[in-house]
Every structure is written in C-alpha cells, then in structure tokens.
Amino acid sequence: MSLRLGDAAPNFKAVTTEGEIDFYEYLGNSWGILFSHPADYTPVCTTELGKTAKLKQEFEKRNVKVLAVSVDPLDKHLGWRNDINETQQCTVDFPIIADDKREVADLYGMIHPNSSENFTVRSLFVIGPDKKVKLMITYPASTGRNFFEVLRVIDSLQLTANYSVATPADWKAGEDVIVVPAVSTEDAIKKFPKGVKVVKPYLRYTPQPNVD
C-alpha cells in the first residue's frame, strides 16, 4: 500500500555514509527530509546533493535533518561523495543511505516500475516531529528538484502547524497568510491582532503571525 499524507513514516535501520542509523532515533524531535536519487555518479544527482549540502544552515535553522537514499552500495556512495564535494564545492555531511537491498525504497514506494525497475525515482518526503508524512513530491529522473521550493514548503508546514492559517499560492515567508475557514471573522480579529483583511467571507488575509 502506498504512503499517503498523514500516514506514519515507516521506521527503518540502515547503513549510511555517516554510520548505521535508526531513522526515528536519527530524527529525534526534528523535522526530516528523506529523498531518493536514481544513481550515484550521475550528473543531476550530483547537483542535487551538492545543493542540499550548501543549504545546510537553512535546514538547521528550521530544525530539519536530511537523508538521501539510493540503491547503490556504501563503497560507491563514499567514492561519489568525494566527487560531489569537489565538483559542487561543498561538504556533504548528511547521511546517504546504502539501500542495495531496496528495503527503504520499497517501504517508501520509491521505485516506479513504469519509469525504471532498477532505480529509485526522485521522491522526497517531509516528515514531521510526530513521524507523520507531511509532504510527498516525486520528480522524473531528468528533472532536478528545486530545493528552495522544499524550504518554502517547510516554512509553510511549520507555520500552519502552530497557527490557524494557510498559505496562498506562491507565498514566501514574511508575506501575508490566509485565515482558515474554520475560524470565524469575529474570532479571527481577536486571534490575529495585527489585523484581518476581508476580501470575501471565505477569503481573509492577515500578516504572518510569527513575524515581528
């Protein structure tokens, strides 16, 4: 059965470039990103892991831990990591899971037979501190991911987990947000002292509540 939003993220133990891990123990109380790439020593994957390494501080600011996974063995990961560091001018120090038995790939449905029977597609899962799946994105092998979009979505997920708001199309951190329909306008005015702009009874904006 395929994973869906709100499902518990399957736990697993795995060998990685940073040693053996238990997924839940590694995450602790943090948010997590688990993303697969088709294969080591390939061009698009090299740029993706390099970009992830360069965004380390952005992920840390958001209390997010990152793990990558493919069906390549550990020795191949270790050699390729040197190439990533060299060509992308970065330091990859997050775990890359050696899933040569396809255990993690099968748990998370990362192999799509109609795309490839042997390699993982570019799947990405955001896992909350409650170990529930908050986001799933899948890209084809030919298209590298936009990790700034991943950061944007994490900003939205973390904001909306704590406040009765939603984020509109193309929203970026610091911009106005939408009051959720479950909150009446009367209650919204009390709940959001920065003000509420009513466009329609169902469409009401307020400044982002956790920004001074």
Side-chain angles (χ1 to χ4, degrees):
M1 182 176 177
S2 60
L3 286 174
R4 298 179 180 179
L5 295 182
D7 286 353
N11 193 25
F12 57 83
K13 294 182 179 179
V15 174
T16 82
T17 51
E18 301 297 320
E20 294 187 15
I21 65 162
D22 175 285
F23 185 45
Y24 278 13
E25 289 181 3
Y26 173 77
L27 292 181
N29 294 320
S30 299
W31 289 70
I33 290 176
L34 176 66
F35 71 101
S36 58
H37 61 276
D40 295 355
Y41 294 105
T42 55
V44 176
C45 302
T46 298
T47 64
E48 286 193 322
L49 272 72
K51 175 59 71 174
T52 303
K54 290 179 179 179
L55 290 172
K56 176 181 179 178
Q57 291 185 344
E58 294 298 322
F59 289 120
E60 288 180 343
K61 280 196 309 187
R62 294 163 173 82
N63 190 31
V64 175
K65 293 182 177 179
V66 177
L67 304 92
V69 57
S70 78
V71 297
D72 296 288
L74 181 61
D75 59 343
K76 199 171 180 182
H77 281 341
L78 292 170
W80 179 50
R81 184 174 63 177
N82 294 331
D83 278 9
I84 300 171
N85 291 340
E86 175 192 347
T87 63
Q88 306 304 301
Q89 299 180 343
C90 65
T91 300
V92 174
D93 58 5
F94 54 85
I96 308 174
I97 297 168
D99 192 34
D100 45 329
K101 294 182 180 178
R102 297 171 41 156
E103 293 171 347
V104 176
D106 287 342
L107 277 176
Y108 282 81
M110 293 170 166
I111 293 178
H112 296 192
N114 289 331
S115 175
S116 171
E117 294 185 355
N118 301 313
F119 302 107
T120 50
V121 293
R122 298 188 194 282
S123 293
L124 184 145
F125 296 84
V126 174
I127 313 298
D130 59 359
K131 307 300 184 291
K132 299 290 181 66
V133 176
K134 306 299 184 183
L135 174 78
M136 300 181 294
I137 311 176
T138 299
Y139 289 72
S142 57
T143 303
R145 283 163 280 217
N146 184 334
F147 283 90
F148 292 108
E149 168 64 5
V150 175
L151 290 171
R152 188 190 77 88
V153 173
I154 290 171
D155 287 339
S156 174
L157 289 169
Q158 293 181 343
L159 173 66
T160 58
N162 294 307
Y163 297 91
S164 300
V165 297
T167 54
D170 296 333
W171 173 86
K172 296 182 180 66
E175 296 178 350
D176 287 357
V177 295
I178 292 173
V179 179
V180 297
V183 177
S184 69
T185 298
E186 181 181 359
D187 288 342
I189 292 170
K190 298 174 184 176
K191 186 182 287 283
F192 302 111
K194 294 179 182 179
V196 176
K197 177 184 177 182
V198 179
V199 179
K200 292 285 185 180
Y202 60 85
L203 180 58
R204 299 154 303 162
Y205 291 90
T206 188
Q208 184 173 328
N210 61 345
V211 173
D212 295 330

